[in-house]
Every structure is written in structure tokens, then in C-alpha cells.
Amino acid sequence: MPVKKKENGSLTGSKRYAAEKGKTVEEQSHENAEKAFDRVKSRFQKPADAVNAVVDGVKNVAQGVKTVERAARTVRQAVSGGSSAVTDDSKQSLNKASEIASKYGVAEIEISDLLGSNPYAADANIPEMKAVDANREKLKIQRQNNALEVRLEKIKQGRKVVAVATEQRRLMGDFVDFSTVGIETATKLVKNEIADTKYQTEQSKLEQTEELLYQQRVATQGTMNLTHGIEDEWDLKFQLQGTKNDRIRLVIEGSHRDNDIKREELEARLVEF
């Protein structure tokens, strides 16, 4: 029985191993059982009766495995709706093939009817026909064959026409691909121009930023120049304030001197008295 495949086309477990070895699952199971027996025998060296018992047990297990596998295939077919060819025998498959042919009016020939039973008598179930009728029918069939040959050649010619038309369309497709490549190349040129324009835009922004930087430096230098003028202004204000302070000091000193003179005059008058 052929090995059942999964829906994805792969084999599983012992089935895949058996398929790789070119064996059926049953043959592989039997071989595995024999190997198991040899391993048990060489390892434990049991008496003959014990060994035979182990062999029988292993064989029973192998038979059980085969039975389970057959049952599993049948169950899987019934449950998952798989092909009945998994479990059908050759006669059942042949009957199904005959059913397919009968849909097109082709029936299987009963050989025993055509051969007959008496080798010395014309007892075969074959219709009789005169020579003239046979020749007429053969000529008719020949003419029909001529018509079929013409039709066959016409079909071949049609296939050639379709082949030429197909290649013509492929050629048209090649031109479309060629044009597409041209458009893609032109698109790359546009993208290149866009990239260059973006570069020039950023370059202009840099130039503007540098100009703003220069303007800021001019403003800073002007501020620095004003700082020198302000410093001079405040220095002059300090000098003016100093001059005013000196004048006030002179006035105060003159007042002190006048006071001293008046005090001396007053003291001199007091002495005279």
C-alpha cells in the first residue's frame, strides 16, 4: 500500500523514513521489529524460550502497529475527507476508471464474448458484414480520418498562430518594459534636480545666515563704539563733578579763612579792652 502524504506534501515519522528507504510502512515496521529482537537478544542473552517469547511479543507489537496504522488511515479518510484511493484495492480503482470512461460512451470490452468458446466454429459474439459493406464502411472511416487529419492540422496551425500571437504580446510587453525603464530613468533625473534644488535652497539659507551674522557683528561693533563714547561721557561728568567739588571746597576754605580773620580781629579787640 503506498505511503500516505500530508496535505502539504511532506511525510511524518516512520512513513517518511520508510519512503526514503524505498519500503512500505509494513516492511519498515517488520524490519524495526527484527532489529529490536536482535538488540534484546545480544544484550540480555536470555534462554531460547525467553528469547522466543520476546520475539513473539515484538512481532505482536509490530502487527498491532500495522493494524493501528491501517485503522488510522481509514479513520483519517472518513474524518478529513481524504482520497479513497488510500484504502481501495486495485479492482476498486479499476472500476472507478471504467466509470470515468463510461461517461464518454466508452465501455470495457468483454473479451470472452469476442473470442467465443468453440475454436472450430464461428460462435463469437461479433456482428457479420459483407465484403462490399465492409469496404464501404472502411472507405467511410478513411474519409472521416482524412477529415480528422485536416482538423488536426488546422488545430496545430491554430496553436502556431496562438504561439506567434503570444510571442508578439511578449514583444509588446518588452517594449512596455523598455518604455517603463525610460520613465524610471527620467524620474531619477527629476529626483536629481529636486536634490540639487534642495541643496541650493540650503546653500541660500547658509548665505542668509552668514549675512545675518555679519549684521549682528556690525551691531555689536557699533555697540562697542558707543561704549567708548559713553565711557568718555562719564569720565567728563566725573571731571565736571570734581571741578564742582573743588569749587565748593574753595568756598568752604574761604569761609573758614574769613571766620579765622574775624576771630582774630575779635580777639584783638578784646585784648585792647
Side-chain angles (χ1 to χ4, degrees):
M1 184 174 293
V3 179
K4 177 67 175 179
K5 290 187 176 182
K6 285 186 176 181
E7 292 182 356
N8 57 7
S10 63
L11 301 175
T12 59
S14 62
K15 296 182 181 180
R16 180 178 59 216
Y17 182 79
E20 292 174 354
K21 296 296 184 180
K23 302 176 181 179
T24 64
V25 177
E26 289 78 9
E27 291 174 345
Q28 188 62 45
S29 299
H30 180 70
E31 183 178 341
N32 292 340
E34 293 293 339
K35 290 181 178 179
F37 159 69
D38 292 337
R39 287 197 297 270
V40 172
K41 180 179 178 181
S42 61
R43 181 174 182 181
F44 297 101
Q45 295 296 325
K46 292 184 179 181
D49 294 339
V51 172
N52 291 332
V54 173
V55 171
D56 293 337
V58 173
K59 290 183 177 179
N60 290 334
V61 171
Q63 293 295 332
V65 170
K66 285 190 254 184
T67 302
V68 171
E69 287 180 348
R70 292 194 188 97
R73 284 196 293 271
T74 303
V75 171
R76 184 168 60 251
Q77 173 191 336
V79 174
S80 61
S83 174
S84 61
V86 175
T87 54
D88 288 346
D89 56 23
S90 59
K91 185 176 181 180
Q92 290 173 322
S93 297
L94 181 59
N95 290 336
K96 290 183 179 180
S98 178
E99 291 176 1
I100 294 175
S102 66
K103 293 180 180 179
Y104 298 94
V106 177
E108 194 168 3
I109 295 176
E110 294 294 338
I111 298 178
S112 60
D113 292 342
L114 297 181
L115 292 178
S117 59
N118 189 349
Y120 300 102
D123 62 343
N125 189 17
I126 300 176
E128 297 180 3
M129 184 178 293
K130 293 181 181 181
V132 62
D133 295 332
N135 290 332
R136 184 176 63 251
E137 294 300 325
K138 286 192 292 184
L139 181 60
K140 184 185 296 184
I141 292 174
Q142 182 60 47
R143 290 173 179 173
Q144 290 177 343
N145 289 338
N146 292 338
L148 290 177
E149 288 177 1
V150 172
R151 182 171 181 177
L152 179 60
E153 292 300 321
K154 186 66 177 179
I155 291 173
K156 291 181 180 179
Q157 185 183 52
R159 293 186 64 185
K160 288 183 180 180
V161 171
V162 173
V164 172
T166 300
E167 293 300 321
Q168 180 73 10
R169 284 194 174 183
R170 287 175 179 167
L171 178 61
M172 293 170 60
D174 292 338
F175 279 107
V176 172
D177 292 339
F178 177 76
S179 177
T180 301
V181 172
I183 295 174
E184 291 175 351
T185 302
T187 302
K188 290 181 180 179
L189 178 63
V190 173
K191 290 182 178 180
N192 180 71
E193 292 294 332
I194 292 174
D196 184 65
T197 303
K198 288 182 178 180
Y199 173 78
Q200 294 182 30
T201 301
E202 297 300 322
Q203 198 175 36
S204 177
K205 289 180 181 179
L206 175 60
E207 185 177 7
Q208 181 184 15
T209 303
E210 288 180 346
E211 191 67 23
L212 292 174
L213 175 61
Y214 177 74
Q215 293 177 6
Q216 182 61 41
R217 286 176 176 173
V218 170
T220 302
Q221 187 63 44
T223 302
M224 293 173 62
N225 294 336
L226 289 175
T227 300
H228 292 303
I230 293 172
E231 288 177 348
D232 292 340
E233 179 183 358
W234 281 103
D235 184 59
L236 293 174
K237 287 182 178 180
F238 285 144
Q239 293 180 14
L240 178 60
Q241 186 64 39
T243 302
K244 290 181 178 179
N245 292 342
D246 290 340
R247 188 179 303 115
I248 292 172
R249 290 190 189 95
L250 291 175
V251 172
I252 293 172
E253 289 179 359
S255 299
H256 288 312
R257 191 175 298 111
D258 291 341
N259 289 338
D260 291 339
I261 294 172
K262 288 181 179 181
R263 186 181 298 108
E264 289 176 359
E265 290 178 354
L266 181 59
E267 289 178 351
R269 290 179 182 176
L270 291 173
V271 171
E272 289 179 359
F273 289 107

